[in-house]
Amino acid sequence: MVLSSPVRLWLLPNAALLTALAVWGIVRYPHLPDRIPQHIGTDGVDAWTSRSVGSAFLLVFVHLGATVLLTACAELTLRVTPSAELPDSAAPFGNGLVRSSLNRPRTRASALRTARALLTFNACVGVSLMIGCAVLWRSAPEPEVSGWLFTAMIVPILVGTALTVVSAVRDRRAPAH
């Protein structure tokens, strides 16, 4: 699949974030203790695992998977025919069924806003995972985790979610041209 120009442009921050995470992890990996955090709860680290590439880079792999998925969603959003461009006359099982059964963007502009919102959301998830990597890749196996960690990890995700919802609401309220 060849990505469209808007997706390539808005994918750059995500690619830079993935690259930074990968390089940072590669640099930190030799200095990690034999046991690293596997799960961090509200009371700090509550599960440990042996250091391995899979366990140390899990958050990087999660961000890579999210990037692939959300990039595909953004690209498909730009490729679908907006509802404003569908013909008004429809056969019972033709365009009428398609028009009513799919959640399409109203216009090309709203499709672009939605694609940008998805890729911005992905970057926000990446920032959140980067904060998790800062805890995961500490040199000393300490069970204590700062109280700010949950807030620091959830705020970027909430910001990305809010931007995506605002884009969707704006699309629903805008008249089709």
Side-chain angles (χ1 to χ4, degrees):
M1 174 189 288
V2 177
L3 298 176
S4 60
S5 180
V7 169
R8 284 194 308 265
L9 177 65
W10 283 82
L11 186 59
L12 287 176
N14 292 296
L17 195 53
L18 269 170
T19 302
L21 277 172
V23 169
W24 183 24
I26 290 167
V27 168
R28 291 294 310 139
Y29 187 78
H31 306 287
L32 294 179
D34 291 336
R35 285 179 1 133
I36 60 173
Q38 180 180 22
H39 184 264
I40 302 167
T42 55
D43 296 328
V45 178
D46 55 14
W48 298 87
T49 188
S50 299
R51 179 184 72 177
S52 69
V53 171
S55 62
F57 286 88
L58 178 65
L59 297 179
V60 178
F61 297 146
V62 167
H63 185 50
L64 177 63
T67 300
V68 169
L69 178 66
L70 290 172
T71 299
C73 289
E75 183 64 30
L76 291 173
T77 298
L78 292 172
R79 290 182 183 215
V80 71
T81 304
S83 60
E85 295 177 16
L86 291 174
D88 287 331
S89 62
F93 296 104
N95 290 334
L97 179 63
V98 171
R99 177 188 291 269
S100 65
S101 65
L102 292 179
N103 190 8
R104 296 173 178 273
R106 288 185 184 234
T107 63
R108 296 270 172 205
S110 65
L112 182 59
R113 279 192 302 274
T114 301
R116 287 177 180 166
L118 287 171
L119 294 173
T120 301
F121 172 72
N122 188 59
C124 292
V125 168
V127 169
S128 178
L129 294 175
M130 183 179 275
I131 294 166
C133 286
V135 172
L136 183 67
W137 295 337
R138 295 180 297 180
S139 296
E142 303 167 17
E144 295 84 28
V145 174
S146 240
W148 59 265
L149 179 67
F150 177 77
T151 303
M153 287 187 75
I154 201 72
V155 165
I157 292 172
L158 292 175
V159 168
T161 301
L163 292 172
T164 305
V165 169
V166 165
S167 173
V169 168
R170 183 176 176 189
D171 181 45
R172 293 294 165 236
R173 291 188 178 164
H177 296 101

